[in-house]
């Protein structure tokens, strides 16, 4: 099986790893909202500070190089379409940095949060909403998160297989269309196998899970997020 | 042991036995009891280990993956700890307890997939091509694990098309061909019919030597 690491949890003992998953989700939501509301300077500063955070977290960005190409392509696409639509370089760069920050936030949360811990925390919160089965929603989120690396595995497998059969370089749009059907087929197979394996081991999505506790690190994280937000609004 | 050429229906049969696919007709009996009428009991009684170990592993660490099935069985923490330790020792995975499954070798992944099912204490352990895609050292390790489990009283149903490397350890053999039972009996009874059903066995080799451990 191809080894891809992007959007994978890495077992470490960093500040973010020790935080409760709910605090991290809440922080990501706040920062996303801030990114939408603040000025160009605020967006750029926040992006740079998040990048600094990613460095401190020691995200293995070099190892992600291959998988990040898709996001770099998307970033360029966003930049170009925004520029063409609004005829403003500042607006285009704003959209570029917003998307860049969202990817960084995604990388930081997936790198430091185990899917089952996230599901466990969400389950307890969602259960309080009337007519919502928190455990089922949380299990769906957990399974979706565990499928993300599978998508990268499948695409890398298909791409490598085609390369080894000397596929000629073509227009990226044609390649994406042609690759997606093969990747989708492989992904369906893998998803079916995963579903069978879960069923075979008596997986019950509605099972209640143990509660995760909050600690001082959660308060520190919220303080950092608050400071970043204030700074971004002030610029 | 269930053997047969590719496409003979081995994996499909396993999924039917486990209850992952509903049969159009017929019943599945276990110890004289029709388990088709008790799907939950069947799921607990039969442990199925799939051909692709990677998609079967769901935990972020070896320990978490082994615990996954026990949590689904709602076992107490004390019981989980006890079974975890026993299974880690049995499958020689104690050193890898904290390791991420993706970083394990092929043989270790296969042993982990066995551990994840075995810890749920099924009566019958079914393995679909457990030696596929493994190097020789890993094959020997998995084979020794299976032989130890057999010694400790576990019923093992092994599905393989590599009869020439596993037949020596089988008590009962079923040969499948095009979805039907082409032959069944003890290894001695079935041995002479293998070639007729498109299964390769080297000539002039005693049955006891048809083992990965005799390579």
């Amino acid at each position: 099986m191809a080894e891809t690491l992007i959007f994978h949890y890495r077992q470490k003992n960093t500040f973010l790893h020790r935080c409760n998953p709910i605090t991290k989700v809440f922080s990501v939501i706040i920062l996303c909202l801030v990114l939408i509301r603040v000025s160009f300077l605020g967006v750029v500063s926040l992006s740079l500070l998040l990048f600094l955070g990613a460095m401190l977290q020691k995200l293995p960005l070099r190892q992600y190089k291959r998988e990040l190409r898709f996001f770099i392509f998307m970033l360029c696409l966003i930049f170009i379409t925004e520029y063409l639509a609004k005829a403003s370089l500042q607006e285009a760069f704003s959209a570029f940095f917003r998307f860049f920050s969202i990817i960084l936030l995604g990388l930081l949360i997936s790198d430091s949060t185990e899917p089952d811990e996230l599901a466990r925390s969400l389950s307890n919160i969602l259960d309080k909403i009337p007519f919502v089965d928190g455990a089922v929603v949380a299990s769906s989120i957990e399974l979706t998160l565990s499928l993300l690396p599978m998508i990268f595995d499948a695409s890398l497998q298909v791409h490598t297989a085609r390369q080894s059969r000397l596929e000629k370089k073509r227009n990226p749009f044609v390649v994406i269309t042609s690759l997606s059907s093969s990747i989708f087929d492989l992904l369906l197979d893998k998803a079916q196998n995963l579903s069978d394996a879960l069923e075979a081991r008596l997986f019950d999505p509605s099972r209640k899970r143990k509660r995760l506790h909050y600690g001082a690190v959660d308060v520190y994280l919220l303080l950092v997020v608050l400071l970043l937000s204030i700074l971004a609004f002030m610029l | 042991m269930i053997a047969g050429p590719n496409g003979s229906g081995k994996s499909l049969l396993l999924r039917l036995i486990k209850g992952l696919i509903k049969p159009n007709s017929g019943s599945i009996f276990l110890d004289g009891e029709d388990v088709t009428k008790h799907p939950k009991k069947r799921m607990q009684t039969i442990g199925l280990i799939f051909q692709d170990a990677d998609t079967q592993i769901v935990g972020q660490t070896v320990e978490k993956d082994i615990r996954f099935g026990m949590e689904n069985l709602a076992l107490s923490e004390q019981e989980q700890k006890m079974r975890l330790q026993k299974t880690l020792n049995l499958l020689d995975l104690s050193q890898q307890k904290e390791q991420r499954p993706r970083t394990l070798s092929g043989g270790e992944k296969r042993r982990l997939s066995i551990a994840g099912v075995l810890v749920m204490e099924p009566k019958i352990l079914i393995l679909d091509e457990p030696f596929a895609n493994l190097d020789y050292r890993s094959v020997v390790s998995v084979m020794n694990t299976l032989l130890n489990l057999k010694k400790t009283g576990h019923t093992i149903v092994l599905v393989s098309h590599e009869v020439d490397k596993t037949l020596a350890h089988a008590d009962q053999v079923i040969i499948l061909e095009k979805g039907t039972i082409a032959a069944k009996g003890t290894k001695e009874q079935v041995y002479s019919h293998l070639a007729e059903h498109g299964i390769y066995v080297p000539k002039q080799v005693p049955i006891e030597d048809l083992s990965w451990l005799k390579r």
Side-chain angles (χ1 to χ4, degrees), chain B residues 65-103:
Chain B
D65 189 71
I66 296 176
R67 276 179 182 263
F68 177 78
M70 293 194 285
E71 282 169 2
N72 292 333
L73 285 172
L75 297 179
S76 67
E77 181 58 27
Q78 197 186 353
E79 178 70 16
Q80 282 191 31
K81 271 186 184 167
M82 198 191 74
R83 285 197 194 185
L84 174 74
Q85 203 49 54
K86 191 175 138 192
T87 312
L88 284 171
N89 291 340
L90 189 67
L91 289 149
D92 196 19
L93 284 168
S94 300
Q95 299 288 321
Q96 291 82 10
K97 191 177 155 187
E98 301 295 332
Q99 214 170 313
R100 282 178 61 221
R102 289 174 68 85
T103 62

Side-chain angles (χ1 to χ4, degrees), chain A residues 127-144:
Chain A
D127 258 345
K128 291 177 181 126
I129 304 171
F131 311 112
V132 172
D133 190 338
V136 174
V137 178
S139 295
S140 310
I141 294 170
E142 182 186 4
L143 287 178
T144 311

Side-chain angles (χ1 to χ4, degrees), chain A residues 130-198:
Chain A
F131 311 112
V132 172
D133 190 338
V136 174
V137 178
S139 295
S140 310
I141 294 170
E142 182 186 4
L143 287 178
T144 311
L145 285 176
S146 64
L147 275 175
L148 276 178
M150 213 184 258
I151 297 170
F152 286 100
D153 276 340
S155 47
L156 192 62
Q157 248 176 296
V158 171
H159 180 67
T160 314
R162 286 183 177 219
Q163 261 191 335
S164 68
R165 290 169 69 191
L166 306 174
E167 188 186 37
K168 285 179 185 165
K169 288 203 170 176
R170 287 181 288 170
N171 182 317
F173 288 102
V174 179
V175 172
I176 287 171
T177 324
S178 137
L179 276 176
S180 53
S181 63
S182 309
I183 292 168
F184 197 61
D185 272 353
L186 186 61
L187 209 57
L188 277 181
D189 273 349
K190 282 176 178 273
Q192 179 63 55
N193 287 341
L194 177 66
S195 156
D196 282 348
L198 290 171

